[in-house]
Amino acid sequence: MTVRLTLLCAAAPVERDVRFDDVPLDERALRQARAAAAALPSAATLYAAPSQRCTQTARALGWDAATAEPELRDIDMGSWQGRALSEVAACDGAGLAAWMSDPQAAPHGGESVAEMCRRVAAWLDALSADAGRILAVVEQAVARAAVVHVLDAPQRSFWNVDVPPLSAVHLTGRNGRWNLRMGDVSSGAPVDGDD
């Protein structure tokens, strides 16, 4: 049996400065998530990463029964947690440059990109072959890590995957082999071959 997994990137509030933080969604983001709900396929299994923004996105989609999945959590930012990207760049520019160019680097004392990629890959590969259709609201970093794993791409390509809020990554898997299926959740059109 084929696993059909859609990773939906969480909605995001309008921010002036990117922060390494879990901020609550504003009304505009919640409205956008509610609008996306009709375009998603139905699924037997619903997951949401444990962050506030993923939980709020799942609720806005009407997923009251979504299971919080700790393996889908955002990258652990260690000492940078809660800080603005501009602040980190000013205080630890060399560390930020290392973190964004070397997947093994963790200058913040948290999780490296490589560690996160391994965590997400392990979660994907542990999904039961008879899981059927799964929908999950995830962090941008989780969607990036999933694409890197599915394409068997080098981990340094993590930063080359652009995942806007409320974009969908469609994956199909069977027997330890995954495929990336392109699709647009906002169009309402089903991905070819979906039920």
Side-chain angles (χ1 to χ4, degrees), residues 8-15 19 21-36 48-63 74 137-140 164-167:
L8 180 69
C9 187
V14 175
E15 295 182 60
R19 296 189 83 72
D21 208 357
D22 180 19
V23 295
L25 299 180
D26 56 22
E27 187 52 42
R28 180 199 56 85
L30 291 169
R31 208 173 30 255
Q32 289 174 336
R34 285 190 290 270
S51 68
Q52 180 175 212
R53 71 181 148 253
C54 287
T55 301
Q56 287 181 317
T57 299
R59 279 195 216 121
L61 293 168
W63 299 3
D74 205 358
V137 176
V138 299
E139 305 290 348
Q140 288 177 319
L166 295 173
S167 62

Side-chain angles (χ1 to χ4, degrees), residues 45-141:
T45 306
L46 303 172
Y47 290 114
S51 68
Q52 180 175 212
R53 71 181 148 253
C54 287
T55 301
Q56 287 181 317
T57 299
R59 279 195 216 121
L61 293 168
W63 299 3
D64 296 328
T67 301
E69 177 51 66
E71 294 305 303
L72 299 178
R73 69 189 178 278
D74 205 358
I75 192 165
D76 177 355
M77 296 308 297
S79 64
W80 295 351
Q81 184 65 36
R83 297 172 71 188
L85 177 62
S86 59
E87 177 187 355
V88 172
C91 297
D92 188 9
L96 183 61
W99 181 64
M100 294 190 74
S101 62
D102 177 2
Q104 303 297 328
H108 45 59
E111 192 174 26
S112 70
V113 167
E115 289 169 328
M116 181 186 198
C117 287
R118 286 191 293 272
R119 171 171 44 92
V120 172
W123 182 80
L124 285 170
D125 292 343
L127 290 173
S128 172
D130 62 355
R133 179 171 303 285
I134 302 169
L135 298 176
V137 176
V138 299
E139 305 290 348
Q140 288 177 319

Side-chain angles (χ1 to χ4, degrees), residues 155-174:
Q155 291 172 341
R156 70 179 180 279
S157 64
F158 177 89
W159 295 111
N160 299 105
V161 180
D162 190 17
V163 187
L166 295 173
S167 62
V169 175
H170 303 283
L171 306 174
T172 59
R174 179 185 313 174

